[in-house]
Amino acid sequence: MHLAIEDKVALVCGAGSGLGRAIALALAAEGVTVAVTGRTPGKLDETVALITGQGGRAQAFALDLSQPETFDDVLSAIRQALGPIGILVNNSGGPPPSRAEGVAATVWQAQFTAMVSALIQLTDKVLPDMRAAGWGRIITSTSSGAVAPLANLAISNTLRMALLGWSKTLASEVAGQGITANIIIPGRIATDRVGQLDAAKAQRENSTPEAVQAQSKASIPAGRYGKPEEYGAAAAFLASRQASYITGSVLRVDGGLIPSIF
């Protein structure tokens, strides 16, 4: 399928590794020019090299979601180098594992800034580009914990859920302007982050990462962890012209793992 977005510029947050990198690669493969953003220059350069090595177009820009006061300067640099932004992929790093009880208020506040408030502010600053074009795609990557809370990930469960309510509300406000807003949720995708969570669970349970992975795979109807490129492909479709009537939705890329219907 030709997604017809080769004339677009995308800003992908957290594109130095994991799911963000997978989405950046998928968009670039469709001819999108990608602003690869994140906190670690070396990793961003790796993503750019992967994209350009495959004939795509990309440029790295340092963007720290915990410092929203820098957004205007970064966005100005992206627009000057690449042009107006038509596709925004909101993707923040995961918080540390935690119980719901006993987390310091300062931790909650810091994580809310980086995981929720920053993404909302960034979207507000990109929306004028989309309104001017009469077209835009806002894709926010969250976590399966937003619809089915995960043990020992209380911060993630709580804050990711806030993004679902925000995205749904935003979608209704901008749909008439040719802009869509959707949530994409990963199940167990084979990234470093999932490997770290498996290792942490193994330590808590006096087990091994291999045993934890085997148990986890047994709970997934597809019988395996997802591939990052499968997640990237799903996000690229949400960015496509063909997906213009999909908005306010939550797309699960989980191999059937999440048990709930809604």
Side-chain angles (χ1 to χ4, degrees), residues 154-176:
I155 297 175
S156 179
N157 296 338
T158 304
L159 300 184
R160 306 283 197 197
M161 192 176 295
L163 290 170
L164 268 65
W166 163 76
S167 180
K168 181 68 172 178
T169 307
L170 177 65
S172 67
E173 294 175 356
V174 301

Side-chain angles (χ1 to χ4, degrees), residues 172-261:
S172 67
E173 294 175 356
V174 301
Q177 301 162 33
I179 303 168
T180 67
N182 291 290
I183 295 285
I184 184 168
I185 287 180
R188 305 291 290 177
I189 310 295
T191 62
D192 289 344
R193 165 73 171 172
V194 169
Q196 291 164 4
L197 292 175
D198 285 345
K201 183 176 181 181
Q203 186 173 20
R204 292 196 311 272
E205 297 180 354
N206 194 27
S207 181
T208 65
E210 293 75 18
V212 168
Q213 290 168 14
Q215 183 182 33
S216 183
K217 289 175 183 178
S219 70
I220 302 170
R224 63 177 177 85
Y225 283 8
K227 301 174 183 177
E229 56 265 34
E230 292 173 315
Y231 193 75
F237 176 74
L238 287 179
S240 72
R241 293 188 182 273
Q242 290 89 336
S244 60
Y245 206 60
I246 301 173
T247 195
S249 295
V250 178
L251 175 61
R252 306 174 185 192
V253 185
D254 68 344
L257 170 65
I258 302 169
S260 63
I261 297 173

